[in-house]
Amino acid sequence: MATVEAEVGTEPVVIQETVASRMMRLLSTTPVYIVLAVIGLVWLIPTIGLLFTSLMAPADFSQMGWWKVLSHPSLLTWQNYDHLFHNGPLTHSLSVTAQIAIGSTVLPITAGALAGYAFAWLEFPGRDYLFIFVIALLVVPLQMALIPMFSLYNTLGLYDTVLGIVLFHTAFGLPFAIFLLRNFFIGIPKDILESARIDGASEIRIFFRLILPLGLPAIASLAIFQFLWTWNDLIVALTFARNTQPITVAIFSQLTEFGSNIEIIAPAAFVSLALPLVVFLAFQRYFVQGMLAGSVK
């Protein structure tokens, strides 16, 4: 029998929990945990299959399938990954992907944080109308800009460059960044900013010393979304890249040119999946804080 102390008024009251009540509570929650575990397992099956496929020789995979690894662990080998990391074009594609993802994350977040602070706390003519225009940009489909931007990039010499792809992702990621960060910054208590202004702090100092630390959860959440979006992008890279290929285009090229080259495609796909997952897990705490920010006042 367990005891639980609860405070009523000023005197603690001891509430006794019987073994039967504990068992009933456990039985009522167990089915939920079982269903969640089954859903999680089914969700992970494609990833597990890709991992095992990347660790098998092509002949073994084509003859037996990846699930045979469960009963024959000796089929696993690191040879495919050794070939992958000695494959110059694919390792170069990973480097290009990292440059695009980092640049396309840092630029819109930096500009979005500055603009979000201005829309939230600075008074200037046409502020509300300009913010409505930013919100309207959220509904513009990315696909409708591909052909005009392709022509513009050819004229400006930005086609097939990392900078061109970064600028395109920045342009389409900036409206959402401004919208999200402005709505978060406007929830910061006004008294904090007024106290800083009374102490003589400039707007730049307020932004870097107050707004950014307080807005870190929202900024981290936005960074995770933007990084994952740009890392996994295919359509923009296919349109604006020929020789400067991210990993998604490189895998796509391997798939179309060498349909049976599974020993390259599988490990490359798993590495492309694992790296953004590591980034997400590293910033998971900030991501959860950003998702919950503003839900409780």
Side-chain angles (χ1 to χ4, degrees), residues 192-213:
I192 298 178
L193 279 69
E194 291 180 347
S195 300
R197 293 191 179 102
I198 292 173
D199 292 338
S202 63
E203 296 298 335
I204 295 296
R205 187 176 181 86
I206 292 173
F207 177 76
F208 284 103
R209 299 298 296 271
L210 289 177
I211 299 299
L212 288 186

Side-chain angles (χ1 to χ4, degrees), residues 153-183:
Y153 276 10
N154 273 331
T155 304
L156 299 178
L158 291 174
Y159 176 73
D160 199 25
T161 63
V162 172
L163 178 61
I165 300 175
V166 168
L167 291 177
F168 188 91
H169 283 302
T170 299
F172 276 87
L174 194 55
F176 179 72
I178 295 174
F179 173 75
L180 178 66
L181 295 179
R182 180 263 182 190
N183 289 343

Side-chain angles (χ1 to χ4, degrees), residues 54-58 75-86 263-264 267:
S54 67
L55 293 171
M56 294 179 65
L75 296 175
L76 298 177
T77 176
W78 292 103
Q79 187 176 4
N80 293 340
Y81 284 92
D82 182 66
H83 292 163
L84 171 67
F85 291 113
H86 287 85
E263 70 274 12
I264 294 296

Side-chain angles (χ1 to χ4, degrees), residues 140-160:
V140 177
L142 179 147
Q143 292 79 2
M144 70 177 297
L146 292 176
I147 295 178
M149 292 302 297
F150 179 84
S151 302
L152 180 63
Y153 276 10
N154 273 331
T155 304
L156 299 178
L158 291 174
Y159 176 73
D160 199 25

Side-chain angles (χ1 to χ4, degrees), residues 107-119:
L107 281 181
I109 287 179
T110 302
L114 291 168
Y117 173 68
F119 280 119

